[in-house]
Amino acid sequence: MGPTLEYPIRLLTDFHPKGKVARLYGLYNEERGTANRAVVIIDTKGIVRFRRLYTSLLKSTVTGQEYVDTDLKNEDILAEVDKINEIERY
Amino acid sequence: MVEVGQHAPDFTVVDHNRRDVTLSNYVGHKNVVLSFHVYSFTGG
C-alpha cells in the first residue's frame, strides 16, 4: 500500500454512495447536496450522547448582512466527552 | 437528526489513507466524535 498521511484524527469520506452516512444521521441537505454541519458524540456502548447542529445566523455587518455559524469550539466538544467519561465511571 | 439516547447508526466508510472505518468497531473501546463539516477552508 502507498505512503500514509499521519494525522491525529481519521478523516472520513461520505462520497460513495454520496451522503450515505449523512442520511443515516438525518443530516443530508437535499437542496445543497451536502451534509449539514453538525457534531455527534457516541459513547462506548454505541449510544448517541450529544448532538449539535450548527445553525447559520443572519448577522448584520458594516458591509451588509452575512450568514455566520454559531460557534462550537473544540473545548466544548471535549467537555461533552469528559462528561460522558465521568458518568461511565460511576 | 439522530436523537440523544438513540443507537448510533452503524456505517463503514473509507478514511484519508483508504482504510475502512466501521463505527461498531469502536463500541466497547472508544467514545467517538463525528464531525460533519462541509466547505472547509473554501469560503463556502
Side-chain angles (χ1 to χ4, degrees), chain A residues 1 4-5 10-11 13 20 25 35 37-44 46 48 51 85, chain B residues 1-2 5-6 8-9 12 14-17 19 21 23 26 28 31-32 34 36 38:
Chain A
M1 198 172 157
T4 59
L5 184 65
R10 299 185 86 164
L11 297 175
T13 176
K20 171 184 80 175
Y25 282 74
R37 286 191 180 89
V39 169
V40 179
I41 301 179
I42 300 156
D43 69 12
T44 56
V48 175
R51 60 172 191 127
N85 287 334
Chain B
M1 191 175 177
V2 289
Q6 184 184 330
T12 299
V14 169
D15 76 359
H16 59 284
N17 286 316
R19 293 193 181 124
V21 176
L23 179 66
Y26 290 86
N31 295 310
V32 173
L34 294 179
F36 293 82
V38 293

PDB file of all heavy atoms in Angstrom, chain A residues 1 4-5 10-11 13 20 25 35 37-44 46 48 51 85, chain B residues 1-2 5-6 8-9 12 14-17 19 21 23 26 28 31-32 34 36 38:
ATOM      1  N   MET A   1       0.855  -1.184   0.000  1.00  0.00           N
ATOM      2  CA  MET A   1       0.000   0.000   0.000  1.00  0.00           C
ATOM      3  C   MET A   1       0.892   1.235   0.000  1.00  0.00           C
ATOM      4  O   MET A   1       1.958   1.204   0.499  1.00  0.00           O
ATOM      5  CB  MET A   1      -0.845  -0.039   1.264  1.00  0.00           C
ATOM      6  CG  MET A   1      -2.041   0.866   1.155  1.00  0.00           C
ATOM      7  SD  MET A   1      -3.130   0.614   2.553  1.00  0.00           S
ATOM      8  CE  MET A   1      -3.969   2.165   2.517  1.00  0.00           C
ATOM      9  N   THR A   4       1.258   6.633   3.882  1.00  0.00           N
ATOM     10  CA  THR A   4       0.078   7.059   4.620  1.00  0.00           C
ATOM     11  C   THR A   4       0.290   8.475   5.128  1.00  0.00           C
ATOM     12  O   THR A   4       1.416   8.926   5.281  1.00  0.00           O
ATOM     13  CB  THR A   4      -0.209   6.140   5.812  1.00  0.00           C
ATOM     14  OG1 THR A   4       0.918   6.162   6.673  1.00  0.00           O
ATOM     15  CG2 THR A   4      -0.487   4.731   5.357  1.00  0.00           C
ATOM     16  N   LEU A   5      -0.814   9.135   5.346  1.00  0.00           N
ATOM     17  CA  LEU A   5      -0.781  10.512   5.823  1.00  0.00           C
ATOM     18  C   LEU A   5      -0.955  10.504   7.334  1.00  0.00           C
ATOM     19  O   LEU A   5      -1.970  10.064   7.833  1.00  0.00           O
ATOM     20  CB  LEU A   5      -1.918  11.299   5.164  1.00  0.00           C
ATOM     21  CG  LEU A   5      -2.000  12.784   5.472  1.00  0.00           C
ATOM     22  CD1 LEU A   5      -0.800  13.515   4.919  1.00  0.00           C
ATOM     23  CD2 LEU A   5      -3.279  13.359   4.864  1.00  0.00           C
ATOM     24  N   ARG A  10      -9.018  10.664  12.135  1.00  0.00           N
ATOM     25  CA  ARG A  10      -9.336   9.998  10.881  1.00  0.00           C
ATOM     26  C   ARG A  10     -10.308  10.865  10.099  1.00  0.00           C
ATOM     27  O   ARG A  10     -11.384  11.221  10.603  1.00  0.00           O
ATOM     28  CB  ARG A  10      -9.928   8.622  11.145  1.00  0.00           C
ATOM     29  CG  ARG A  10      -8.943   7.731  11.886  1.00  0.00           C
ATOM     30  CD  ARG A  10      -9.462   6.341  12.060  1.00  0.00           C
ATOM     31  NE  ARG A  10      -9.147   5.520  10.886  1.00  0.00           N
ATOM     32  CZ  ARG A  10      -9.204   4.197  10.861  1.00  0.00           C
ATOM     33  NH1 ARG A  10      -9.591   3.542  11.931  1.00  0.00           N
ATOM     34  NH2 ARG A  10      -8.918   3.520   9.766  1.00  0.00           N
ATOM     35  N   LEU A  11      -9.909  11.203   8.885  1.00  0.00           N
ATOM     36  CA  LEU A  11     -10.790  11.964   8.005  1.00  0.00           C
ATOM     37  C   LEU A  11     -11.566  10.967   7.163  1.00  0.00           C
ATOM     38  O   LEU A  11     -10.977  10.184   6.433  1.00  0.00           O
ATOM     39  CB  LEU A  11      -9.969  12.879   7.095  1.00  0.00           C
ATOM     40  CG  LEU A  11      -9.150  13.956   7.780  1.00  0.00           C
ATOM     41  CD1 LEU A  11      -8.309  14.696   6.760  1.00  0.00           C
ATOM     42  CD2 LEU A  11     -10.053  14.907   8.534  1.00  0.00           C
ATOM     43  N   THR A  13     -14.630   9.905   4.365  1.00  0.00           N
ATOM     44  CA  THR A  13     -15.304  10.427   3.203  1.00  0.00           C
ATOM     45  C   THR A  13     -16.701   9.823   3.105  1.00  0.00           C
ATOM     46  O   THR A  13     -16.881   8.630   3.285  1.00  0.00           O
ATOM     47  CB  THR A  13     -14.505  10.158   1.917  1.00  0.00           C
ATOM     48  OG1 THR A  13     -15.269  10.616   0.800  1.00  0.00           O
ATOM     49  CG2 THR A  13     -14.219   8.683   1.737  1.00  0.00           C
ATOM     50  N   LYS A  20     -24.315   8.939   2.192  1.00  0.00           N
ATOM     51  CA  LYS A  20     -24.862   7.755   2.863  1.00  0.00           C
ATOM     52  C   LYS A  20     -24.919   7.941   4.378  1.00  0.00           C
ATOM     53  O   LYS A  20     -25.952   7.732   5.023  1.00  0.00           O
ATOM     54  CB  LYS A  20     -24.018   6.530   2.506  1.00  0.00           C
ATOM     55  CG  LYS A  20     -24.357   5.281   3.296  1.00  0.00           C
ATOM     56  CD  LYS A  20     -23.420   4.137   2.957  1.00  0.00           C
ATOM     57  CE  LYS A  20     -22.092   4.255   3.677  1.00  0.00           C
ATOM     58  NZ  LYS A  20     -21.213   3.083   3.435  1.00  0.00           N
ATOM     59  N   TYR A  25     -27.813   9.750   9.610  1.00  0.00           N
ATOM     60  CA  TYR A  25     -27.852  10.578  10.803  1.00  0.00           C
ATOM     61  C   TYR A  25     -28.824  11.747  10.664  1.00  0.00           C
ATOM     62  O   TYR A  25     -28.876  12.607  11.519  1.00  0.00           O
ATOM     63  CB  TYR A  25     -26.420  11.059  11.149  1.00  0.00           C
ATOM     64  CG  TYR A  25     -25.635   9.960  11.812  1.00  0.00           C
ATOM     65  CD1 TYR A  25     -25.149   8.882  11.067  1.00  0.00           C
ATOM     66  CD2 TYR A  25     -25.432   9.950  13.182  1.00  0.00           C
ATOM     67  CE1 TYR A  25     -24.481   7.837  11.664  1.00  0.00           C
ATOM     68  CE2 TYR A  25     -24.753   8.916  13.798  1.00  0.00           C
ATOM     69  CZ  TYR A  25     -24.291   7.857  13.032  1.00  0.00           C
ATOM     70  OH  TYR A  25     -23.629   6.816  13.637  1.00  0.00           O
ATOM     71  N   ALA A  35     -23.839  17.526   3.415  1.00  0.00           N
ATOM     72  CA  ALA A  35     -24.298  17.331   4.789  1.00  0.00           C
ATOM     73  C   ALA A  35     -24.491  18.699   5.420  1.00  0.00           C
ATOM     74  O   ALA A  35     -23.927  19.695   4.967  1.00  0.00           O
ATOM     75  CB  ALA A  35     -23.268  16.529   5.574  1.00  0.00           C
ATOM     76  N   ARG A  37     -23.710  20.974   8.768  1.00  0.00           N
ATOM     77  CA  ARG A  37     -22.626  20.962   9.751  1.00  0.00           C
ATOM     78  C   ARG A  37     -23.175  20.510  11.096  1.00  0.00           C
ATOM     79  O   ARG A  37     -24.150  21.063  11.589  1.00  0.00           O
ATOM     80  CB  ARG A  37     -22.031  22.348   9.910  1.00  0.00           C
ATOM     81  CG  ARG A  37     -21.167  22.799   8.773  1.00  0.00           C
ATOM     82  CD  ARG A  37     -20.429  24.070   9.160  1.00  0.00           C
ATOM     83  NE  ARG A  37     -19.570  24.563   8.103  1.00  0.00           N
ATOM     84  CZ  ARG A  37     -19.948  25.389   7.153  1.00  0.00           C
ATOM     85  NH1 ARG A  37     -21.179  25.842   7.129  1.00  0.00           N
ATOM     86  NH2 ARG A  37     -19.100  25.788   6.240  1.00  0.00           N
ATOM     87  N   ALA A  38     -22.548  19.518  11.678  1.00  0.00           N
ATOM     88  CA  ALA A  38     -23.039  19.011  12.961  1.00  0.00           C
ATOM     89  C   ALA A  38     -21.955  18.222  13.669  1.00  0.00           C
ATOM     90  O   ALA A  38     -20.969  17.812  13.059  1.00  0.00           O
ATOM     91  CB  ALA A  38     -24.256  18.105  12.736  1.00  0.00           C
ATOM     92  N   VAL A  39     -22.164  18.056  14.966  1.00  0.00           N
ATOM     93  CA  VAL A  39     -21.295  17.201  15.767  1.00  0.00           C
ATOM     94  C   VAL A  39     -22.165  16.190  16.491  1.00  0.00           C
ATOM     95  O   VAL A  39     -23.200  16.549  17.051  1.00  0.00           O
ATOM     96  CB  VAL A  39     -20.497  18.028  16.798  1.00  0.00           C
ATOM     97  CG1 VAL A  39     -19.805  17.107  17.802  1.00  0.00           C
ATOM     98  CG2 VAL A  39     -19.462  18.888  16.101  1.00  0.00           C
ATOM     99  N   VAL A  40     -21.758  14.935  16.467  1.00  0.00           N
ATOM    100  CA  VAL A  40     -22.454  13.871  17.189  1.00  0.00           C
ATOM    101  C   VAL A  40     -21.414  13.145  18.031  1.00  0.00           C
ATOM    102  O   VAL A  40     -20.355  12.781  17.523  1.00  0.00           O
ATOM    103  CB  VAL A  40     -23.135  12.883  16.219  1.00  0.00           C
ATOM    104  CG1 VAL A  40     -23.829  11.760  16.982  1.00  0.00           C
ATOM    105  CG2 VAL A  40     -24.120  13.598  15.302  1.00  0.00           C
ATOM    106  N   ILE A  41     -21.713  12.952  19.309  1.00  0.00           N
ATOM    107  CA  ILE A  41     -20.800  12.194  20.175  1.00  0.00           C
ATOM    108  C   ILE A  41     -21.472  10.879  20.547  1.00  0.00           C
ATOM    109  O   ILE A  41     -22.622  10.869  20.988  1.00  0.00           O
ATOM    110  CB  ILE A  41     -20.415  12.981  21.437  1.00  0.00           C
ATOM    111  CG1 ILE A  41     -19.737  14.286  21.045  1.00  0.00           C
ATOM    112  CG2 ILE A  41     -19.473  12.138  22.312  1.00  0.00           C
ATOM    113  CD1 ILE A  41     -19.339  15.146  22.232  1.00  0.00           C
ATOM    114  N   ILE A  42     -20.734   9.791  20.369  1.00  0.00           N
ATOM    115  CA  ILE A  42     -21.249   8.438  20.606  1.00  0.00           C
ATOM    116  C   ILE A  42     -20.409   7.798  21.698  1.00  0.00           C
ATOM    117  O   ILE A  42     -19.174   7.834  21.635  1.00  0.00           O
ATOM    118  CB  ILE A  42     -21.159   7.625  19.297  1.00  0.00           C
ATOM    119  CG1 ILE A  42     -21.998   8.296  18.213  1.00  0.00           C
ATOM    120  CG2 ILE A  42     -21.611   6.185  19.511  1.00  0.00           C
ATOM    121  CD1 ILE A  42     -21.565   7.958  16.805  1.00  0.00           C
ATOM    122  N   ASP A  43     -21.061   7.193  22.692  1.00  0.00           N
ATOM    123  CA  ASP A  43     -20.298   6.613  23.799  1.00  0.00           C
ATOM    124  C   ASP A  43     -19.833   5.196  23.477  1.00  0.00           C
ATOM    125  O   ASP A  43     -20.076   4.680  22.382  1.00  0.00           O
ATOM    126  CB  ASP A  43     -21.107   6.668  25.107  1.00  0.00           C
ATOM    127  CG  ASP A  43     -22.312   5.735  25.108  1.00  0.00           C
ATOM    128  OD1 ASP A  43     -22.424   4.871  24.215  1.00  0.00           O
ATOM    129  OD2 ASP A  43     -23.141   5.870  26.027  1.00  0.00           O
ATOM    130  N   THR A  44     -19.163   4.572  24.447  1.00  0.00           N
ATOM    131  CA  THR A  44     -18.563   3.261  24.198  1.00  0.00           C
ATOM    132  C   THR A  44     -19.597   2.153  24.064  1.00  0.00           C
ATOM    133  O   THR A  44     -19.253   1.019  23.755  1.00  0.00           O
ATOM    134  CB  THR A  44     -17.568   2.890  25.303  1.00  0.00           C
ATOM    135  OG1 THR A  44     -18.255   2.941  26.558  1.00  0.00           O
ATOM    136  CG2 THR A  44     -16.382   3.840  25.321  1.00  0.00           C
ATOM    137  N   GLY A  46     -22.147   2.676  22.001  1.00  0.00           N
ATOM    138  CA  GLY A  46     -22.766   2.933  20.702  1.00  0.00           C
ATOM    139  C   GLY A  46     -24.030   3.787  20.789  1.00  0.00           C
ATOM    140  O   GLY A  46     -24.828   3.811  19.849  1.00  0.00           O
ATOM    141  N   VAL A  48     -25.886   7.527  21.106  1.00  0.00           N
ATOM    142  CA  VAL A  48     -25.697   8.958  20.889  1.00  0.00           C
ATOM    143  C   VAL A  48     -25.875   9.669  22.227  1.00  0.00           C
ATOM    144  O   VAL A  48     -26.906   9.522  22.888  1.00  0.00           O
ATOM    145  CB  VAL A  48     -26.713   9.492  19.854  1.00  0.00           C
ATOM    146  CG1 VAL A  48     -26.594  11.003  19.727  1.00  0.00           C
ATOM    147  CG2 VAL A  48     -26.522   8.808  18.512  1.00  0.00           C
ATOM    148  N   ARG A  51     -25.477  15.863  20.562  1.00  0.00           N
ATOM    149  CA  ARG A  51     -25.542  16.219  19.156  1.00  0.00           C
ATOM    150  C   ARG A  51     -25.744  17.714  19.075  1.00  0.00           C
ATOM    151  O   ARG A  51     -26.386  18.316  19.929  1.00  0.00           O
ATOM    152  CB  ARG A  51     -26.685  15.489  18.455  1.00  0.00           C
ATOM    153  CG  ARG A  51     -28.005  15.840  19.069  1.00  0.00           C
ATOM    154  CD  ARG A  51     -29.179  15.304  18.299  1.00  0.00           C
ATOM    155  NE  ARG A  51     -30.386  15.933  18.859  1.00  0.00           N
ATOM    156  CZ  ARG A  51     -31.277  16.563  18.146  1.00  0.00           C
ATOM    157  NH1 ARG A  51     -31.166  16.633  16.838  1.00  0.00           N
ATOM    158  NH2 ARG A  51     -32.315  17.107  18.720  1.00  0.00           N
ATOM    159  N   ASN A  85     -17.439  10.441  30.084  1.00  0.00           N
ATOM    160  CA  ASN A  85     -16.478   9.601  30.801  1.00  0.00           C
ATOM    161  C   ASN A  85     -16.720   9.631  32.302  1.00  0.00           C
ATOM    162  O   ASN A  85     -16.584   8.621  32.977  1.00  0.00           O
ATOM    163  CB  ASN A  85     -15.051  10.054  30.496  1.00  0.00           C
ATOM    164  CG  ASN A  85     -14.645   9.671  29.096  1.00  0.00           C
ATOM    165  OD1 ASN A  85     -15.164   8.726  28.536  1.00  0.00           O
ATOM    166  ND2 ASN A  85     -13.723  10.412  28.522  1.00  0.00           N
TER     167      ASN A  85
ATOM    168  N   MET B   1     -32.596  14.574  12.534  1.00  0.00           N
ATOM    169  CA  MET B   1     -31.267  14.295  13.069  1.00  0.00           C
ATOM    170  C   MET B   1     -31.391  13.248  14.167  1.00  0.00           C
ATOM    171  O   MET B   1     -32.399  13.190  14.873  1.00  0.00           O
ATOM    172  CB  MET B   1     -30.678  15.595  13.642  1.00  0.00           C
ATOM    173  CG  MET B   1     -29.204  15.501  13.975  1.00  0.00           C
ATOM    174  SD  MET B   1     -28.550  17.073  14.510  1.00  0.00           S
ATOM    175  CE  MET B   1     -26.874  16.588  14.885  1.00  0.00           C
ATOM    176  N   VAL B   2     -30.330  12.442  14.350  1.00  0.00           N
ATOM    177  CA  VAL B   2     -30.385  11.419  15.397  1.00  0.00           C
ATOM    178  C   VAL B   2     -30.616  12.071  16.751  1.00  0.00           C
ATOM    179  O   VAL B   2     -30.233  13.218  16.986  1.00  0.00           O
ATOM    180  CB  VAL B   2     -29.084  10.588  15.445  1.00  0.00           C
ATOM    181  CG1 VAL B   2     -28.979   9.680  14.257  1.00  0.00           C
ATOM    182  CG2 VAL B   2     -27.875  11.470  15.590  1.00  0.00           C
ATOM    183  N   GLY B   5     -29.652   9.313  23.128  1.00  0.00           N
ATOM    184  CA  GLY B   5     -30.256   8.103  23.677  1.00  0.00           C
ATOM    185  C   GLY B   5     -30.505   7.033  22.633  1.00  0.00           C
ATOM    186  O   GLY B   5     -30.721   5.859  22.952  1.00  0.00           O
ATOM    187  N   GLN B   6     -30.438   7.430  21.387  1.00  0.00           N
ATOM    188  CA  GLN B   6     -30.665   6.506  20.273  1.00  0.00           C
ATOM    189  C   GLN B   6     -29.379   5.725  19.976  1.00  0.00           C
ATOM    190  O   GLN B   6     -28.282   6.227  20.218  1.00  0.00           O
ATOM    191  CB  GLN B   6     -31.056   7.365  19.060  1.00  0.00           C
ATOM    192  CG  GLN B   6     -31.424   6.638  17.804  1.00  0.00           C
ATOM    193  CD  GLN B   6     -31.701   7.610  16.664  1.00  0.00           C
ATOM    194  OE1 GLN B   6     -32.139   8.735  16.880  1.00  0.00           O
ATOM    195  NE2 GLN B   6     -31.440   7.179  15.455  1.00  0.00           N
ATOM    196  N   ALA B   8     -26.503   4.754  17.733  1.00  0.00           N
ATOM    197  CA  ALA B   8     -25.901   5.415  16.579  1.00  0.00           C
ATOM    198  C   ALA B   8     -25.908   4.458  15.397  1.00  0.00           C
ATOM    199  O   ALA B   8     -25.434   3.326  15.505  1.00  0.00           O
ATOM    200  CB  ALA B   8     -24.480   5.836  16.910  1.00  0.00           C
ATOM    201  N   PRO B   9     -26.455   4.892  14.256  1.00  0.00           N
ATOM    202  CA  PRO B   9     -26.476   4.012  13.084  1.00  0.00           C
ATOM    203  C   PRO B   9     -25.063   3.595  12.686  1.00  0.00           C
ATOM    204  O   PRO B   9     -24.156   4.416  12.627  1.00  0.00           O
ATOM    205  CB  PRO B   9     -27.109   4.888  11.999  1.00  0.00           C
ATOM    206  CG  PRO B   9     -27.855   5.952  12.727  1.00  0.00           C
ATOM    207  CD  PRO B   9     -27.112   6.183  14.000  1.00  0.00           C
ATOM    208  N   THR B  12     -19.823   1.894   7.423  1.00  0.00           N
ATOM    209  CA  THR B  12     -18.430   1.660   7.028  1.00  0.00           C
ATOM    210  C   THR B  12     -18.108   2.602   5.890  1.00  0.00           C
ATOM    211  O   THR B  12     -18.816   2.632   4.887  1.00  0.00           O
ATOM    212  CB  THR B  12     -18.203   0.207   6.573  1.00  0.00           C
ATOM    213  OG1 THR B  12     -18.500  -0.666   7.656  1.00  0.00           O
ATOM    214  CG2 THR B  12     -16.763  -0.007   6.138  1.00  0.00           C
ATOM    215  N   VAL B  14     -14.481   4.969   4.084  1.00  0.00           N
ATOM    216  CA  VAL B  14     -13.039   4.930   3.861  1.00  0.00           C
ATOM    217  C   VAL B  14     -12.413   6.184   4.466  1.00  0.00           C
ATOM    218  O   VAL B  14     -12.994   7.262   4.388  1.00  0.00           O
ATOM    219  CB  VAL B  14     -12.758   4.842   2.340  1.00  0.00           C
ATOM    220  CG1 VAL B  14     -11.299   5.054   2.029  1.00  0.00           C
ATOM    221  CG2 VAL B  14     -13.198   3.496   1.814  1.00  0.00           C
ATOM    222  N   ASP B  15     -11.238   6.055   5.074  1.00  0.00           N
ATOM    223  CA  ASP B  15     -10.577   7.230   5.639  1.00  0.00           C
ATOM    224  C   ASP B  15      -9.562   7.809   4.659  1.00  0.00           C
ATOM    225  O   ASP B  15      -9.437   7.347   3.524  1.00  0.00           O
ATOM    226  CB  ASP B  15      -9.950   6.909   7.000  1.00  0.00           C
ATOM    227  CG  ASP B  15      -8.648   6.116   6.894  1.00  0.00           C
ATOM    228  OD1 ASP B  15      -8.207   5.778   5.772  1.00  0.00           O
ATOM    229  OD2 ASP B  15      -8.067   5.827   7.951  1.00  0.00           O
ATOM    230  N   HIS B  16      -8.785   8.804   5.135  1.00  0.00           N
ATOM    231  CA  HIS B  16      -7.852   9.515   4.261  1.00  0.00           C
ATOM    232  C   HIS B  16      -6.680   8.656   3.816  1.00  0.00           C
ATOM    233  O   HIS B  16      -5.918   9.041   2.956  1.00  0.00           O
ATOM    234  CB  HIS B  16      -7.348  10.786   4.961  1.00  0.00           C
ATOM    235  CG  HIS B  16      -6.659  10.495   6.260  1.00  0.00           C
ATOM    236  ND1 HIS B  16      -7.329  10.164   7.411  1.00  0.00           N
ATOM    237  CD2 HIS B  16      -5.341  10.472   6.579  1.00  0.00           C
ATOM    238  CE1 HIS B  16      -6.463   9.963   8.385  1.00  0.00           C
ATOM    239  NE2 HIS B  16      -5.250  10.140   7.906  1.00  0.00           N
ATOM    240  N   ASN B  17      -6.521   7.477   4.427  1.00  0.00           N
ATOM    241  CA  ASN B  17      -5.496   6.531   3.989  1.00  0.00           C
ATOM    242  C   ASN B  17      -6.104   5.329   3.277  1.00  0.00           C
ATOM    243  O   ASN B  17      -5.465   4.283   3.140  1.00  0.00           O
ATOM    244  CB  ASN B  17      -4.658   6.061   5.185  1.00  0.00           C
ATOM    245  CG  ASN B  17      -3.703   7.134   5.660  1.00  0.00           C
ATOM    246  OD1 ASN B  17      -3.055   7.797   4.850  1.00  0.00           O
ATOM    247  ND2 ASN B  17      -3.619   7.318   6.959  1.00  0.00           N
ATOM    248  N   ARG B  19      -8.312   3.354   4.276  1.00  0.00           N
ATOM    249  CA  ARG B  19      -8.604   2.209   5.144  1.00  0.00           C
ATOM    250  C   ARG B  19     -10.067   2.259   5.542  1.00  0.00           C
ATOM    251  O   ARG B  19     -10.616   3.323   5.804  1.00  0.00           O
ATOM    252  CB  ARG B  19      -7.730   2.268   6.394  1.00  0.00           C
ATOM    253  CG  ARG B  19      -6.276   2.067   6.080  1.00  0.00           C
ATOM    254  CD  ARG B  19      -5.479   1.811   7.329  1.00  0.00           C
ATOM    255  NE  ARG B  19      -4.081   1.649   6.972  1.00  0.00           N
ATOM    256  CZ  ARG B  19      -3.091   2.368   7.470  1.00  0.00           C
ATOM    257  NH1 ARG B  19      -3.336   3.313   8.354  1.00  0.00           N
ATOM    258  NH2 ARG B  19      -1.854   2.142   7.095  1.00  0.00           N
ATOM    259  N   VAL B  21     -13.267   2.173   7.775  1.00  0.00           N
ATOM    260  CA  VAL B  21     -13.593   2.552   9.142  1.00  0.00           C
ATOM    261  C   VAL B  21     -15.035   2.148   9.403  1.00  0.00           C
ATOM    262  O   VAL B  21     -15.940   2.562   8.669  1.00  0.00           O
ATOM    263  CB  VAL B  21     -13.460   4.081   9.344  1.00  0.00           C
ATOM    264  CG1 VAL B  21     -13.891   4.477  10.747  1.00  0.00           C
ATOM    265  CG2 VAL B  21     -12.039   4.528   9.061  1.00  0.00           C
ATOM    266  N   LEU B  23     -17.961   2.095  12.354  1.00  0.00           N
ATOM    267  CA  LEU B  23     -18.297   2.680  13.658  1.00  0.00           C
ATOM    268  C   LEU B  23     -18.403   1.611  14.750  1.00  0.00           C
ATOM    269  O   LEU B  23     -17.876   1.797  15.850  1.00  0.00           O
ATOM    270  CB  LEU B  23     -19.615   3.450  13.559  1.00  0.00           C
ATOM    271  CG  LEU B  23     -20.090   4.088  14.866  1.00  0.00           C
ATOM    272  CD1 LEU B  23     -19.128   5.187  15.311  1.00  0.00           C
ATOM    273  CD2 LEU B  23     -21.497   4.644  14.708  1.00  0.00           C
ATOM    274  N   TYR B  26     -15.654   0.540  17.226  1.00  0.00           N
ATOM    275  CA  TYR B  26     -15.244   1.356  18.354  1.00  0.00           C
ATOM    276  C   TYR B  26     -16.078   1.072  19.595  1.00  0.00           C
ATOM    277  O   TYR B  26     -15.716   1.471  20.697  1.00  0.00           O
ATOM    278  CB  TYR B  26     -15.339   2.839  17.989  1.00  0.00           C
ATOM    279  CG  TYR B  26     -14.304   3.264  16.984  1.00  0.00           C
ATOM    280  CD1 TYR B  26     -14.521   3.133  15.623  1.00  0.00           C
ATOM    281  CD2 TYR B  26     -13.083   3.789  17.405  1.00  0.00           C
ATOM    282  CE1 TYR B  26     -13.551   3.500  14.701  1.00  0.00           C
ATOM    283  CE2 TYR B  26     -12.118   4.169  16.499  1.00  0.00           C
ATOM    284  CZ  TYR B  26     -12.353   4.017  15.148  1.00  0.00           C
ATOM    285  OH  TYR B  26     -11.411   4.385  14.240  1.00  0.00           O
ATOM    286  N   GLY B  28     -17.363  -0.486  22.803  1.00  0.00           N
ATOM    287  CA  GLY B  28     -16.646  -1.238  23.817  1.00  0.00           C
ATOM    288  C   GLY B  28     -15.239  -0.724  24.029  1.00  0.00           C
ATOM    289  O   GLY B  28     -14.536  -1.167  24.943  1.00  0.00           O
ATOM    290  N   ASN B  31     -15.067   6.338  22.960  1.00  0.00           N
ATOM    291  CA  ASN B  31     -16.106   7.298  22.578  1.00  0.00           C
ATOM    292  C   ASN B  31     -15.741   7.796  21.180  1.00  0.00           C
ATOM    293  O   ASN B  31     -14.562   7.839  20.821  1.00  0.00           O
ATOM    294  CB  ASN B  31     -16.129   8.489  23.538  1.00  0.00           C
ATOM    295  CG  ASN B  31     -16.517   8.072  24.941  1.00  0.00           C
ATOM    296  OD1 ASN B  31     -17.505   7.380  25.138  1.00  0.00           O
ATOM    297  ND2 ASN B  31     -15.711   8.473  25.912  1.00  0.00           N
ATOM    298  N   VAL B  32     -16.741   8.175  20.406  1.00  0.00           N
ATOM    299  CA  VAL B  32     -16.491   8.629  19.042  1.00  0.00           C
ATOM    300  C   VAL B  32     -17.126  10.000  18.845  1.00  0.00           C
ATOM    301  O   VAL B  32     -18.270  10.229  19.257  1.00  0.00           O
ATOM    302  CB  VAL B  32     -17.093   7.633  18.020  1.00  0.00           C
ATOM    303  CG1 VAL B  32     -17.000   8.184  16.611  1.00  0.00           C
ATOM    304  CG2 VAL B  32     -16.389   6.280  18.102  1.00  0.00           C
ATOM    305  N   LEU B  34     -18.234  12.394  15.845  1.00  0.00           N
ATOM    306  CA  LEU B  34     -18.435  12.563  14.405  1.00  0.00           C
ATOM    307  C   LEU B  34     -18.620  14.040  14.138  1.00  0.00           C
ATOM    308  O   LEU B  34     -19.522  14.666  14.703  1.00  0.00           O
ATOM    309  CB  LEU B  34     -19.687  11.813  13.938  1.00  0.00           C
ATOM    310  CG  LEU B  34     -19.677  10.296  14.020  1.00  0.00           C
ATOM    311  CD1 LEU B  34     -21.021   9.756  13.521  1.00  0.00           C
ATOM    312  CD2 LEU B  34     -18.546   9.706  13.196  1.00  0.00           C
ATOM    313  N   PHE B  36     -19.413  16.533  11.161  1.00  0.00           N
ATOM    314  CA  PHE B  36     -19.792  16.716   9.762  1.00  0.00           C
ATOM    315  C   PHE B  36     -19.456  18.158   9.403  1.00  0.00           C
ATOM    316  O   PHE B  36     -20.063  19.092   9.929  1.00  0.00           O
ATOM    317  CB  PHE B  36     -21.294  16.477   9.577  1.00  0.00           C
ATOM    318  CG  PHE B  36     -21.710  15.045   9.807  1.00  0.00           C
ATOM    319  CD1 PHE B  36     -21.935  14.567  11.092  1.00  0.00           C
ATOM    320  CD2 PHE B  36     -21.884  14.185   8.734  1.00  0.00           C
ATOM    321  CE1 PHE B  36     -22.314  13.250  11.307  1.00  0.00           C
ATOM    322  CE2 PHE B  36     -22.274  12.866   8.932  1.00  0.00           C
ATOM    323  CZ  PHE B  36     -22.486  12.396  10.218  1.00  0.00           C
ATOM    324  N   VAL B  38     -18.556  20.824   6.107  1.00  0.00           N
ATOM    325  CA  VAL B  38     -18.583  20.970   4.657  1.00  0.00           C
ATOM    326  C   VAL B  38     -17.918  22.273   4.283  1.00  0.00           C
ATOM    327  O   VAL B  38     -17.853  23.209   5.082  1.00  0.00           O
ATOM    328  CB  VAL B  38     -20.023  20.937   4.125  1.00  0.00           C
ATOM    329  CG1 VAL B  38     -20.634  19.577   4.330  1.00  0.00           C
ATOM    330  CG2 VAL B  38     -20.882  22.001   4.771  1.00  0.00           C
TER     331      VAL B  38
END
